[in-house]
């Protein structure tokens, strides 16, 4: 038990940038090039032990193991949906857990990852928001989700659409993106990564300017008062200001800007809302994803019906706006949009 406790107290290497690994080896008096060897073992070869790092001397491996841990933690629970979607629960300490969702789709395997323990945005329709905020995830805990799911080597895409608001934990999210896209890391194209946000302006602007990942904005209503009623963040970051800021950047080529729009029956699913959403987008090259609302306890909203969703989609498409209805996945295991809760280990 004492050995396991000491192991958890050691600083994890997974999630570190090359610069961070260089600081590690310097602190132990090792050659600078050892950092690149470590990065290759961790991110390319996916090493699960220092013992396999055979181009690092045995003495240096022992010194690394004495002060550091790789920091790979497998999920503590797995659930499988009838549609093939898998949900994984990760222990993130302090009695808290977060969830990740792997969505298979023909030749694609998309992992939806979390960035926070809970969330403080308190969106009315979101299960994560109902549990409150319990802290930020570290870059180690974010990257660990990518490296530790059973399908890790088959992943084609990662979306930051799990628990938490990525812009509320931007430093860790940016570090994780660097690990995923850098040539010394996973070496992914940034086009394989999508980051979702409710629209914290300063942080969102930094993400747009310092990375090339796809951006998805949670809108859910084009009207200020209505959006504020279901998304309190609208009072601090009005959606029209968010879209205005984004209009200054180029999303007309390979980089994609999309809007997430959950459809609520009788609230935001009529043609008047479709026209107002069209006006909000103001001719920008933006894709719209319509999402069925998934009922959660204590929320008196219902999902829009197929007819209204189709009419909404068809109107936007007729106006030159690419709009699709996203297929729900994993609802039977509470893995669909807005349903992640990450119950702690003492809860069922």
């Amino acid at each position: 038990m004492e050995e396991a406790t000491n192991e958890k107290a050691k600083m994890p290497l997974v999630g570190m940038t090359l610069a961070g690994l260089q600081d590690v080896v310097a602190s132990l008096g090792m050659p600078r090039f050892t950092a690149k060897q470590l990065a290759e073992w961790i991110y390319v070869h996916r090493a699960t032990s220092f013992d396999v790092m055979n181009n690092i001397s045995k003495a240096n491996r022992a010194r690394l193991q004495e002060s550091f841990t790789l920091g790979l933690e497998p999920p503590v629970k797995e659930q499988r949906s009838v549609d093939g979607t898998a949900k994984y629960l990760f222990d993130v300490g302090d009695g808290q857990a977060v969830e990740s969702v792997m969505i298979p789709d023909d030749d694609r395997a998309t992992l939806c990852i979390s960035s926070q323990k809970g969330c403080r945005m308190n969106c009315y329709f979101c299960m994560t928001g109902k549990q409150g905020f319990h802290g930020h995830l570290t870059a180690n805990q974010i990257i660990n989700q990518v490296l530790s799911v059973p399908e890790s080597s088959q992943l084609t895409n990662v979306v930051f659409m799990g628990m938490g608001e990525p812009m509320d934990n931007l430093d860790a999210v940016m570090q994780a993106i660097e690990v995923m896209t850098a040539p010394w890391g996973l070496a992914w194209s940034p086009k394989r990564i999508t980051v979702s946000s409710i629209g914290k302006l300063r942080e969102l602007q930094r993400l747009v300017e310092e990375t090339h990942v796809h951006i998805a904005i949670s809108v859910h209503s084009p009207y200020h008062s209505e959006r504020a009623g279901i998304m309190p963040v609208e009072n601090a970051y009005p959606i029209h200001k968010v879209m205005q800021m984004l209009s200054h950047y180029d999303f007309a080529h390979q980089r994609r800007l999309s809007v997430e729009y959950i459809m609520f029956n009788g609230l935001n699913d009529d043609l008047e809302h479709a026209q107002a959403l069209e006006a909000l987008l103001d001719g920008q090259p933006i894709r719209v994803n319509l999402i069925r609302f998934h009922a959660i306890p204590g929320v008196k909203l219902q999902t829009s019906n197929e007819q209204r969703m189709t009419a909404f989609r068809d109107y936007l498409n007729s106006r030159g706006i690419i709009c699709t209805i996203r297929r729900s996945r994993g609802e039977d295991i509470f893995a669909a949009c807005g349903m992640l809760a990450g119950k702690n280990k003492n809860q069922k």
Side-chain angles (χ1 to χ4, degrees):
M1 179 66 74
E2 184 178 346
E3 183 179 341
T5 302
N6 290 339
E7 191 70 16
K8 282 184 175 293
K10 296 177 184 178
M11 184 177 293
L13 299 184
V14 166
M16 282 192 181
T17 63
L18 182 59
L21 293 172
Q22 287 169 345
D23 289 341
V24 165
V25 301
S27 72
L28 297 176
M30 298 178 186
R32 187 179 175 87
F33 65 79
T34 309
K36 197 159 187 180
Q37 292 174 318
L38 274 173
E40 185 172 358
W41 280 112
I42 293 169
Y43 300 124
V44 179
H45 300 302
R46 310 287 182 95
T48 58
S49 165
F50 289 109
D51 295 335
V52 301
M53 302 179 182
N54 53 23
N55 61 349
I56 300 175
S57 73
K58 192 171 182 180
N60 281 344
R61 277 182 273 158
R63 294 166 74 188
L64 282 164
Q65 191 155 2
E66 186 177 346
S67 301
F68 296 91
T69 177
L70 285 178
L72 288 169
E73 298 286 344
V76 296
K77 185 179 179 182
E78 172 184 335
Q79 290 178 276
R80 292 273 170 180
S81 167
V82 294
D83 63 24
T85 300
K87 183 169 73 169
Y88 299 103
L89 186 75
F90 287 92
D91 182 355
V92 289
D94 300 322
Q96 300 296 321
V98 299
E99 292 176 327
S100 306
V101 177
M102 197 287 299
I103 306 163
D105 189 12
D106 295 329
D107 59 346
R108 292 166 62 93
T110 299
L111 186 67
C112 176
I113 61 176
S114 296
S115 57
Q116 292 181 303
K117 308 171 191 179
C119 185
R120 53 184 163 198
M121 298 302 108
N122 196 29
C123 296
Y124 174 66
F125 48 83
C126 179
M127 181 81 85
T128 305
K130 299 299 179 190
Q131 77 172 67
F133 176 70
H134 304 286
H136 298 302
L137 295 187
T138 63
N140 164 255
Q141 291 167 331
I142 294 173
I143 291 295
N144 181 62
Q145 296 170 70
V146 178
L147 296 183
S148 294
V149 296
E151 301 87 358
S152 179
S153 62
Q154 285 83 47
L155 295 178
T156 59
N157 301 84
V158 163
V159 294
F160 283 82
M161 295 182 182
M163 297 170 60
E165 164 56 43
M167 297 307 97
D168 201 33
N169 187 21
L170 185 58
D171 286 343
V173 167
M174 292 281 281
Q175 184 171 326
I177 290 171
E178 182 179 355
V179 168
M180 284 190 274
T181 58
W184 47 260
L186 301 185
W188 283 20
S189 163
K191 306 306 186 292
R192 295 172 64 178
I193 303 168
T194 300
V195 181
S196 176
S197 176
I198 46 74
K200 291 188 73 178
L201 278 171
R202 185 179 301 174
E203 292 83 356
L204 182 59
Q205 187 170 11
R206 180 185 163 203
L207 178 76
V208 173
E209 291 181 353
E210 296 183 22
T211 76
H212 293 91
V213 299
H214 296 315
I215 307 294
I217 303 298
S218 299
V219 175
H220 311 318
S221 175
Y223 297 118
H224 173 74
S225 58
E226 186 174 84
R227 188 171 187 259
I230 57 174
M231 300 177 68
V233 73
E234 169 71 12
N235 293 309
Y237 304 103
I239 192 60
H240 75 276
K241 289 189 176 181
V242 174
M243 302 312 295
Q244 186 179 50
M245 181 274 287
L246 290 168
S247 71
H248 297 298
Y249 298 93
D250 180 14
F251 291 99
H253 298 94
Q254 287 188 330
R255 193 178 195 183
R256 185 172 65 245
L257 174 62
S258 59
V259 156
E260 309 292 303
Y261 194 95
I262 297 177
M263 302 285 281
F264 304 107
N265 184 48
L267 177 68
N268 67 346
D269 61 346
D270 55 29
L271 289 183
E272 179 184 317
H273 280 79
Q275 292 164 354
L277 181 59
E278 177 192 6
L280 176 68
L281 304 186
D282 193 28
Q284 297 181 61
I286 300 174
R287 301 185 182 196
V288 177
N289 295 316
L290 303 182
I291 303 169
R292 292 174 177 81
F293 170 63
H294 302 101
I296 61 174
V299 173
K300 296 180 179 179
L301 290 171
Q302 295 180 334
T303 190
S304 184
N305 62 43
E306 196 72 28
Q307 184 178 3
R308 292 172 78 88
M309 292 186 73
T310 300
F312 199 105
R313 178 201 64 192
D314 291 349
Y315 172 80
L316 291 179
N317 281 329
S318 74
R319 305 297 292 175
I321 299 169
I322 298 174
C323 180
T324 58
I325 299 174
R326 184 184 293 169
R327 185 158 56 104
S328 292
R329 301 292 298 272
E331 188 172 3
D332 57 320
I333 57 170
F334 268 58
C337 181
M339 302 183 81
L340 300 187
K343 298 290 188 181
N344 68 36
K345 292 181 293 183
N346 298 318
Q347 293 177 294
K348 292 184 179 180

